[in-house]
Amino acid sequence: MLFGVLFSGMGVYAATQLGVLRALEESGLQPGALAGVGAGAWIAGLYACKPDARGVHAAIREACGQGRRLLDPDRRAALGPLYVGGRLQGLIRGDRLAALLVKQTLGRSLSEVEAALAIPTVALPTRKTLVFSNHYPPEDGEAVWTQQAPVSLAIRAAMSIPALMRPALWMGVPLIGTAGLSEGMAALGQLRVKHALCVDASAQVPKGRLNVWDIAALCGPRTQPTDCRPDWIMLTPRVPETVHASALEALDICVEAGYNAALETIPRLKALMGGGLGKVLAFPKK
């Protein structure tokens, strides 16, 4: 029986999933399959490379500590057209983030990751779903699956927001993050997951004046409870309404919100799994 998790969210809201991972580990539950969309792909990818909730938390904290230094604005895109040479541009180049992701994932390729991992993205201009995974693609389905990429590239592509962050390039193809959790659920399902915890850290509307990061977060992956399978559980941690998507100093607040929400949900998850505990066997590779 394979237990999986799906992470989503944009901005600091995605940090709720760090608390979810900590609660799962403390309860003796370690997912054997992970999928991520938006910033959730960052957490899913890091945990797949090294399954240690505290280690992933430390890595995200390090990134948040860099703050604006991690951003590399493209002033030409800010002053020029949205498309140049037929390619979508972004206010942020994303090169510094890409370099950090290579470091955090230890430069590992998808084939070097043990836990089953699936990160869906969208290829431009065809709008076709491209799933980065360390497992062979399903025999059918509309999405294209590939193992030929480093984990860092998959994460970088999933975090690309149109017009805000320049699309990532894979074999010359520009990629952006998916706009819905349905692609993440579909990808996780293709990993033969029977039971799953889907953590929806979609942006809530914070109080006060919205900034560009709040707007980007609101345009991130969203879902509805009806999208979730009957034998999967949807978890929607809530953070204080005063916390904005760009409030990196609220990292610990978001982590605790995810931790407390997970503690309330874990008994239901265990009951769904028939009381099975411990680390789940990894999904067999072909």
Side-chain angles (χ1 to χ4, degrees), residues 82-94:
L82 186 60
Y83 282 86
V84 176
R87 282 188 175 175
L88 181 66
Q89 301 300 301
L91 297 178
I92 300 172
R93 294 196 299 269

Side-chain angles (χ1 to χ4, degrees), residues 22-268:
R22 193 179 87 204
L24 289 174
E25 285 190 354
E26 291 178 359
S27 300
L29 293 171
Q30 185 172 341
L34 303 102
V37 295
W42 192 353
I43 297 173
L46 293 187
Y47 194 79
C49 288
K50 187 176 181 181
D52 174 20
R54 295 188 182 278
V56 175
H57 188 171
I60 299 298
R61 180 186 293 279
E62 175 192 6
C64 290
Q66 296 188 38
R68 296 181 182 274
R69 290 174 295 174
L70 192 59
L71 305 180
D72 43 2
D74 189 340
R75 293 177 175 82
R76 292 176 301 176
L79 300 175
L82 186 60
Y83 282 86
V84 176
R87 282 188 175 175
L88 181 66
Q89 301 300 301
L91 297 178
I92 300 172
R93 294 196 299 269
D95 296 338
R96 295 176 187 171
L97 174 61
L100 176 65
L101 292 174
V102 171
K103 175 184 175 182
Q104 291 185 335
T105 58
L106 307 176
R108 290 179 178 173
S109 64
L110 288 164
S111 60
E112 296 176 303
V113 176
E114 289 298 324
L117 177 65
I119 298 178
T121 63
V122 177
L124 297 177
T126 63
R127 305 294 298 181
K128 194 174 185 64
T129 300
L130 173 67
V131 182
F132 290 97
S133 179
N134 55 343
H135 290 280
Y136 280 80
E139 296 180 357
D140 54 9
E142 296 182 357
V144 175
W145 286 57
T146 182
Q147 299 178 334
Q148 307 302 316
V151 178
S152 59
L153 174 60
I155 299 172
R156 167 67 177 81
M159 294 179 65
S160 298
I161 303 173
L164 183 59
M165 183 178 293
R166 182 185 298 173
L169 288 179
W170 173 77
M171 295 188 176
V173 178
L175 303 172
I176 60 174
T178 176
L181 273 185
S182 57
E183 289 85 355
M185 291 182 178
L188 189 61
Q190 293 290 4
L191 296 179
R192 302 177 188 174
V193 168
K194 179 174 177 57
H195 303 296
L197 181 64
C198 302
V199 186
D200 183 4
S202 297
Q204 58 196 43
V205 181
K207 289 184 177 180
R209 185 177 180 180
L210 301 183
N211 56 43
V212 63
W213 298 105
D214 296 323
I215 296 173
L218 288 169
C219 295
R222 310 303 292 270
T223 189
Q224 298 294 331
T226 53
D227 294 336
C228 201
R229 299 184 181 185
D231 49 355
W232 290 13
I233 295 177
M234 180 69 70
L235 178 62
T236 54
R238 305 301 294 175
V239 300
E241 294 181 349
T242 54
V243 174
H244 288 251
S246 59
L248 301 183
E249 67 277 5
L251 176 71
D252 290 336
I253 294 176
C254 293
V255 171
E256 289 305 309
Y259 177 77
N260 293 328
L263 288 181
E264 295 178 0
T265 305
I266 284 175
R268 181 183 168 198

